[in-house]
Amino acid sequence: MSNKILVTGGAGYIGSVTVWALLRSGYEVVILDTLAKGHRQALPETCTFVKGDIGDTSLVRQVIRAHGIERVIHFAAFSLVGESVEHPLRYFQNNLVQGIRFIDTCVENGVTSFILSSTAAVYGDPVHIPIVETHPLAPKNPYGFSKLGLEQVLTSYRQTHGLNVAFLRYFNAAGADTMNGIGEDHTPETHLIPIIFQTALGKREKVFVFGGDYDTPDGTAIRDYIHVSDLAQAHIKVLERVGGGLKHLAYNLGIGKGYSVLEVLTMAREVCGREIPYEITGRRTGDPPILVASPDRFHAEFGWEPQFGELRDILASAWQWHQTHPEGYQGEARGTA
Ligand code: UDP
């Protein structure tokens, strides 16, 4: 089997950390990314990088054939819940329509295994916590629908074409890969932890906490934050078995512990030793009150525990990156792998 992995969205936050982890594990990597959201500076200078779109069928065909690609990890997607509620078509078009076209082109050109970057948003508002993979699938925003749609398309391709598939449903990716200098940098930034540390650095006046009236102990929303390097390692574990030997199609990736927005703020303040002003405002449309994973299926099958089991360590890694990259990737020069 070819050792070359096609990674779409490989210049994004989780994608780039996974690219470095794949290279370190001895894989060759071909990255396909539009750079609309991703950062070329997040990648090694010497990697095989193709600037382009997953919906560009002739480009995808050419990349797969030229490199003899058999396995794909598909990260490329828009991933903001709030934006997806405001611009549903953008999400259905980019994630779902282009994604379906991409899957079909992959299968037509000899791809045999496909790992999908999926999300806890496929579950919608939880009926029970922690969320197991058999929890009802009821997305409450277009982002979650678009990912669930791709899961279903892949399930059909599995039945019809024998495609090996795995869906990795991430909870909240967080932290930085400090070894390779990779952190979270979106434009505009909407994620809680980068916003907290930008505020700690004085780049924002305060953090707006979205919703103080949820049915949670302190009234703010609860999430399960998993370190981005642990996510990357999980992809490699799945890659090793996706050609045969996976017991399930879907796996939750979280640490199994939930923290409220105020708890994250308090811990972040302790980690950086600075004041972080905040103000509680209205809820953000499309946000479920609580998302906490049961990671038991993944842990049982792979006998694997996250390296970063404590939110404090996740926050410390993020803080380190933000301190050394106060402007994100702007002005960053990249060394070699
Ligand atoms: N959040 C917040 N203020 C912000 C950004 C996020 O209160 O400026 C909350 C958000 O409503 C959610 C949690 O923090 O409850 C994590 O949000 P994030 O956007 O980081 O990730 P998501 O859960 O949307 O994937």
Side-chain angles (χ1 to χ4, degrees):
M1 176 175 292
S2 165
N3 199 35
K4 271 193 186 170
I5 314 298
L6 175 61
V7 181
T8 72
Y13 172 46
I14 307 171
S16 58
V17 177
T18 305
V19 164
W20 284 88
L22 284 165
L23 293 171
R24 207 178 160 77
S25 299
Y27 289 98
E28 288 181 60
V29 177
V30 179
I31 297 148
L32 178 65
D33 198 301
T34 58
L35 293 182
K37 306 262 175 190
H39 306 276
R40 182 63 183 83
Q41 303 95 307
L43 294 168
E45 241 169 42
T46 54
C47 63
T48 308
F49 180 82
V50 179
K51 186 164 184 280
D53 200 296
I54 55 161
D56 182 344
T57 304
S58 61
L59 174 68
V60 171
R61 184 186 301 122
Q62 187 231 313
V63 169
I64 292 174
R65 291 197 178 165
H67 294 279
I69 299 289
E70 290 168 77
R71 289 177 286 180
V72 172
I73 308 181
H74 179 43
F75 291 102
F78 293 158
S79 61
L80 302 179
V81 167
E83 184 188 58
S84 82
V85 175
E86 277 169 42
H87 302 284
L89 181 62
R90 204 178 280 176
Y91 277 69
F92 290 124
Q93 177 64 32
N94 185 64
N95 294 3
L96 192 53
V97 175
Q98 303 276 72
I100 295 171
R101 187 170 294 147
F102 175 67
I103 292 166
D104 192 70
T105 312
C106 285
V107 171
E108 263 203 356
N109 291 282
V111 168
T112 55
S113 296
F114 196 105
I115 298 175
L116 174 70
S117 155
S118 189
T119 169
V122 297
Y123 298 115
D125 284 343
V127 180
H128 45 79
I129 292 285
I131 299 174
V132 289
E133 289 83 349
T134 50
H135 183 283
L137 298 169
K140 62 180 287 194
N141 52 62
Y143 170 60
F145 274 114
S146 72
K147 290 289 187 170
L148 181 58
L150 285 188
E151 289 192 2
Q152 288 171 347
V153 169
L154 286 168
T155 305
S156 298
Y157 274 73
R158 176 174 180 265
Q159 279 161 358
T160 307
H161 301 285
L163 182 66
N164 303 303
V165 301
F167 320 137
L168 303 187
R169 295 178 181 156
Y170 317 146
F171 283 65
N172 285 59
D177 172 358
T178 49
M179 192 167 67
N180 296 307
I182 302 168
E184 194 169 2
D185 177 8
H186 304 100
T187 308
E189 190 55 77
T190 64
H191 291 93
L192 180 64
I193 293 172
I195 284 177
I196 286 178
F197 287 130
Q198 286 171 358
T199 309
L201 287 168
K203 305 202 145 295
R204 291 171 187 261
E205 199 189 318
K206 57 184 152 185
V207 177
F208 290 99
V209 174
F210 299 143
D213 57 351
Y214 285 109
D215 187 13
T216 58
D218 66 18
T220 65
I222 292 177
R223 294 288 181 274
D224 178 340
Y225 297 88
I226 177 167
H227 195 279
V228 66
S229 297
D230 283 324
L231 282 181
Q233 288 307 323
H235 285 78
I236 292 177
K237 296 272 173 213
V238 171
L239 189 64
E240 286 161 1
R241 293 200 196 163
V242 67
L246 279 187
K247 292 199 184 125
H248 300 278
L249 302 186
Y251 296 90
N252 285 342
L253 295 177
I255 61 170
K257 275 189 258 176
Y259 295 89
S260 73
V261 175
L262 289 183
E263 285 173 325
V264 176
L265 265 164
T266 304
M267 206 177 277
R269 194 181 306 129
E270 287 164 15
V271 163
C272 69
R274 300 189 184 190
E275 270 314 301
I276 306 172
Y278 70 88
E279 179 186 325
I280 297 184
T281 60
R283 296 181 180 191
R284 185 169 67 180
T285 315
D287 268 353
I290 305 183
L291 289 173
V292 178
S294 162
D296 291 354
R297 177 184 278 185
F298 192 81
H299 291 188
E301 196 168 325
F302 291 90
W304 173 85
E305 290 291 330
Q307 203 193 327
F308 292 82
E310 296 299 326
L311 180 61
R312 190 176 299 276
D313 298 330
I314 297 176
L315 290 172
S317 73
W319 175 233
Q320 190 179 330
W321 192 81
H322 285 284
Q323 272 182 300
T324 49
H325 298 75
E327 306 301 330
Y329 284 105
Q330 244 178 53
E332 166 106 348
R334 172 54 74 184
T336 51

